[in-house]
Coordinates of all heavy atoms in Angstrom, one line a residue:
I734 N -5.3 31.5 4.7 CA -6.1 30.5 5.3 C -5.7 30.2 6.6 O -4.6 29.8 7.0 CB -6.0 29.2 4.4 CG1 -6.4 29.6 2.9 CG2 -7.0 28.1 4.9 CD1 -7.9 29.9 2.7
S735 N -6.7 30.2 7.6 CA -6.4 29.9 9.0 C -6.1 28.4 9.2 O -6.5 27.5 8.3 CB -7.6 30.2 9.9 OG -8.7 29.4 9.6
E736 N -5.4 28.0 10.3 CA -5.1 26.6 10.5 C -6.3 25.8 10.7 O -6.4 24.6 10.2 CB -4.2 26.5 11.8 CG -2.8 27.0 11.5 CD -2.0 26.3 10.5 OE1 -2.3 25.0 10.4 OE2 -1.3 26.8 9.6
K737 N -7.4 26.3 11.3 CA -8.6 25.7 11.5 C -9.3 25.3 10.2 O -9.7 24.1 10.0 CB -9.6 26.5 12.4 CG -10.9 25.8 12.6 CD -11.8 26.7 13.5 CE -13.2 26.1 13.7 NZ -14.1 27.0 14.5
R738 N -9.3 26.2 9.3 CA -9.9 26.0 8.0 C -9.0 25.0 7.2 O -9.6 24.2 6.5 CB -10.1 27.3 7.3 CG -10.7 27.1 5.8 CD -10.9 28.5 5.2 NE -11.3 28.3 3.8 CZ -11.8 29.2 3.0 NH1 -11.8 30.5 3.4 NH2 -12.2 28.9 1.8
Y739 N -7.7 25.1 7.4 CA -6.8 24.3 6.5 C -7.0 22.8 7.0 O -6.9 21.9 6.2 CB -5.4 24.8 6.7 CG -4.5 24.1 5.7 CD1 -4.7 24.2 4.3 CD2 -3.3 23.4 6.1 CE1 -3.9 23.6 3.4 CE2 -2.5 22.8 5.2 CZ -2.8 22.9 3.9 OH -1.9 22.3 3.0
K740 N -7.1 22.6 8.3 CA -7.2 21.2 8.8 C -8.5 20.6 8.3 O -8.6 19.4 8.0 CB -7.2 21.3 10.4 CG -5.8 21.5 10.9 CD -5.8 21.5 12.5 CE -4.5 21.7 13.0 NZ -4.4 21.8 14.6
K741 N -9.6 21.4 8.3 CA -10.9 20.9 7.8 C -10.8 20.6 6.3 O -11.3 19.6 5.8 CB -11.9 22.1 7.9 CG -13.3 21.7 7.5 CD -14.3 22.8 7.8 CE -15.7 22.5 7.4 NZ -16.6 23.7 7.6
F742 N -10.0 21.4 5.5 CA -9.8 21.1 4.2 C -9.0 19.8 4.0 O -9.3 19.0 3.1 CB -9.0 22.3 3.5 CG -8.4 22.0 2.2 CD1 -9.1 21.9 1.1 CD2 -7.0 21.7 2.2 CE1 -8.5 21.5 -0.1 CE2 -6.4 21.4 1.0 CZ -7.1 21.3 -0.2
L743 N -7.9 19.6 4.7 CA -7.1 18.4 4.6 C -7.9 17.2 4.9 O -7.8 16.2 4.3 CB -5.9 18.5 5.6 CG -4.8 19.5 5.2 CD1 -3.8 19.5 6.4 CD2 -4.2 19.2 3.9
K744 N -8.9 17.3 5.9 CA -9.8 16.2 6.2 C -10.6 15.9 5.0 O -10.8 14.7 4.6 CB -10.6 16.5 7.4 CG -11.6 15.4 7.8 CD -10.9 14.2 8.3 CE -11.8 13.2 8.8 NZ -11.2 11.8 9.1
K745 N -11.1 16.9 4.4 CA -12.0 16.7 3.2 C -11.2 16.0 2.0 O -11.7 15.1 1.5 CB -12.6 18.0 2.7 CG -13.4 18.0 1.4 CD -13.8 19.4 1.0 CE -14.5 19.3 -0.4 NZ -15.0 20.6 -0.9
R746 N -10.0 16.5 1.8 CA -9.3 16.0 0.7 C -8.9 14.5 1.0 O -8.9 13.7 0.0 CB -8.0 16.8 0.6 CG -7.2 16.4 -0.7 CD -6.0 17.5 -0.9 NE -5.0 17.4 0.1 CZ -3.9 18.2 0.1 NH1 -3.7 19.1 -0.9 NH2 -3.1 18.1 1.1
E747 N -8.6 14.2 2.2 CA -8.3 12.8 2.6 C -9.4 11.9 2.4 O -9.3 10.8 2.0 CB -7.7 12.8 4.0 CG -7.2 11.4 4.5 CD -6.0 10.9 3.7 OE1 -5.4 11.7 3.1 OE2 -5.8 9.7 3.7
N748 N -10.6 12.4 2.8 CA -11.9 11.6 2.8 C -12.2 11.3 1.3 O -12.5 10.1 0.9 CB -13.0 12.4 3.3 CG -13.0 12.4 4.9 OD1 -12.3 11.7 5.5 ND2 -13.9 13.3 5.4
I749 N -12.0 12.2 0.4 CA -12.2 12.0 -1.1 C -11.2 11.0 -1.6 O -11.6 10.1 -2.3 CB -12.0 13.3 -1.8 CG1 -13.2 14.3 -1.4 CG2 -12.1 13.2 -3.3 CD1 -13.0 15.7 -1.8
K750 N -10.0 11.1 -1.2 CA -8.9 10.2 -1.7 C -9.2 8.8 -1.3 O -9.1 7.8 -2.1 CB -7.6 10.7 -1.2 CG -6.4 9.8 -1.7 CD -5.1 10.3 -1.1 CE -3.9 9.5 -1.5 NZ -2.6 9.8 -0.9
K751 N -9.5 8.6 0.0 CA -9.7 7.3 0.5 C -11.0 6.6 0.0 O -11.0 5.4 -0.4 CB -9.9 7.3 2.1 CG -8.7 7.5 2.8 CD -8.9 7.5 4.4 CE -7.7 7.6 5.1 NZ -7.9 7.7 6.7
E752 N -12.0 7.4 -0.3 CA -13.2 6.8 -0.8 C -13.1 6.4 -2.4 O -13.5 5.4 -2.8 CB -14.4 7.8 -0.7 CG -15.7 7.4 -1.4 CD -16.3 6.1 -0.6 OE1 -15.7 5.5 0.1 OE2 -17.4 5.8 -1.0
I753 N -12.2 7.2 -3.1 CA -12.0 6.8 -4.5 C -11.2 5.5 -4.5 O -11.5 4.6 -5.4 CB -11.1 8.0 -5.2 CG1 -12.1 9.2 -5.4 CG2 -10.6 7.5 -6.5 CD1 -11.4 10.5 -6.0
E754 N -10.2 5.4 -3.7 CA -9.4 4.2 -3.6 C -10.2 3.0 -3.2 O -10.1 1.9 -3.8 CB -8.2 4.4 -2.5 CG -7.2 5.3 -3.0 CD -6.1 5.5 -2.0 OE1 -6.3 5.0 -0.9 OE2 -5.1 6.2 -2.3
R755 N -11.2 3.2 -2.2 CA -12.0 2.1 -1.8 C -13.0 1.6 -2.9 O -13.1 0.4 -3.2 CB -12.9 2.6 -0.7 CG -13.7 1.5 0.0 CD -14.7 2.0 1.0 NE -15.9 2.8 0.4 CZ -16.9 2.2 -0.1 NH1 -17.1 0.9 -0.1 NH2 -17.8 3.0 -0.7
I756 N -13.6 2.5 -3.6 CA -14.5 2.2 -4.7 C -13.8 1.5 -5.8 O -14.2 0.6 -6.4 CB -15.2 3.5 -5.2 CG1 -16.2 4.0 -4.2 CG2 -15.9 3.2 -6.6 CD1 -16.9 5.3 -4.5
K757 N -12.5 1.9 -6.1 CA -11.7 1.3 -7.2 C -11.3 -0.2 -6.8 O -11.1 -1.0 -7.6 CB -10.4 2.1 -7.5 CG -10.7 3.4 -8.3 CD -9.4 4.1 -8.6 CE -9.6 5.2 -9.5 NZ -8.3 5.9 -9.9
N758 N -11.2 -0.4 -5.5 CA -10.9 -1.8 -5.0 C -12.0 -2.7 -4.6 O -11.8 -3.7 -4.1 CB -9.9 -1.6 -3.9 CG -8.5 -1.1 -4.3 OD1 -8.0 -1.4 -5.4 ND2 -8.0 -0.1 -3.6
T759 N -13.2 -2.1 -4.7 CA -14.5 -2.9 -4.3 C -15.0 -3.7 -5.5 O -15.3 -3.1 -6.5 CB -15.5 -2.0 -3.7 OG1 -14.9 -1.3 -2.6 CG2 -16.8 -2.7 -3.4
N760 N -15.2 -5.0 -5.4 CA -15.7 -5.8 -6.4 C -17.2 -5.9 -6.2 O -17.8 -6.1 -5.0 CB -15.1 -7.2 -6.4 CG -13.7 -7.2 -6.9 OD1 -13.4 -6.8 -7.9 ND2 -12.8 -7.8 -6.0
I761 N -18.0 -5.9 -7.3 CA -19.4 -6.1 -7.2 C -19.8 -7.4 -8.0 O -19.4 -7.6 -9.2 CB -20.1 -4.9 -8.0 CG1 -19.8 -3.6 -7.3 CG2 -21.7 -5.1 -8.0 CD1 -20.4 -3.5 -5.9
K762 N -20.5 -8.2 -7.3 CA -21.0 -9.5 -8.0 C -22.2 -9.3 -8.7 O -23.0 -8.5 -8.3 CB -21.1 -10.5 -6.8 CG -19.8 -10.9 -6.1 CD -20.0 -11.9 -5.1 CE -18.7 -12.3 -4.4 NZ -18.8 -13.3 -3.3
P763 N -22.5 -10.1 -9.7 CA -23.7 -10.0 -10.4 C -25.0 -10.5 -9.8 O -25.5 -11.6 -10.2 CB -23.3 -10.8 -11.8 CG -22.4 -11.8 -11.3 CD -21.6 -11.2 -10.2
T764 N -25.4 -9.8 -8.8 CA -26.5 -10.3 -8.0 C -27.9 -9.7 -8.6 O -27.8 -8.8 -9.4 CB -26.5 -9.8 -6.5 OG1 -26.4 -8.4 -6.5 CG2 -25.2 -10.3 -5.9
N765 N -29.0 -10.2 -8.2 CA -30.3 -9.7 -8.6 C -30.5 -8.2 -8.2 O -31.0 -7.5 -8.9 CB -31.4 -10.6 -8.1 CG -31.5 -11.9 -8.8 OD1 -31.1 -12.1 -9.8 ND2 -32.0 -12.9 -8.0
E766 N -30.0 -8.0 -7.0 CA -30.1 -6.6 -6.5 C -29.4 -5.5 -7.4 O -30.0 -4.5 -7.7 CB -29.6 -6.6 -5.0 CG -29.9 -5.2 -4.3 CD -29.3 -5.2 -2.9 OE1 -28.6 -6.1 -2.6 OE2 -29.6 -4.2 -2.2
I767 N -28.1 -5.8 -7.7 CA -27.4 -4.8 -8.5 C -28.0 -4.7 -9.9 O -28.1 -3.7 -10.5 CB -25.9 -5.1 -8.6 CG1 -25.1 -4.1 -9.4 CG2 -25.6 -6.5 -9.1 CD1 -25.2 -2.7 -8.9
N768 N -28.4 -5.9 -10.5 CA -29.0 -5.9 -11.8 C -30.3 -5.2 -11.9 O -30.6 -4.5 -13.0 CB -29.0 -7.4 -12.4 CG -27.7 -7.8 -12.9 OD1 -26.8 -7.0 -13.3 ND2 -27.4 -9.1 -12.9

């Protein structure tokens, strides 16, 4: 795997990890919109 491809992969992996953490820590209030 080339360095260029590997850096792109690491970015993808980091994006996924950060988004999962964000969603797990985000609170949703019982608004009319969500319901």
Side-chain angles (χ1 to χ4, degrees):
I734 301 294
S735 68
E736 286 302 320
K737 181 180 178 182
R738 178 174 176 176
Y739 192 58
K740 285 178 181 177
K741 184 178 176 182
F742 161 77
L743 291 176
K744 179 65 176 173
K745 174 184 176 179
R746 190 169 67 178
E747 184 64 18
N748 287 345
I749 294 167
K750 182 182 176 182
K751 284 183 176 178
E752 180 62 351
I753 290 173
E754 288 176 355
R755 186 188 71 83
I756 290 175
K757 284 185 174 182
N758 291 316
T759 299
N760 289 307
I761 298 294
K762 295 179 180 179
T764 63
N765 290 334
E766 188 179 8
I767 181 62
N768 280 332

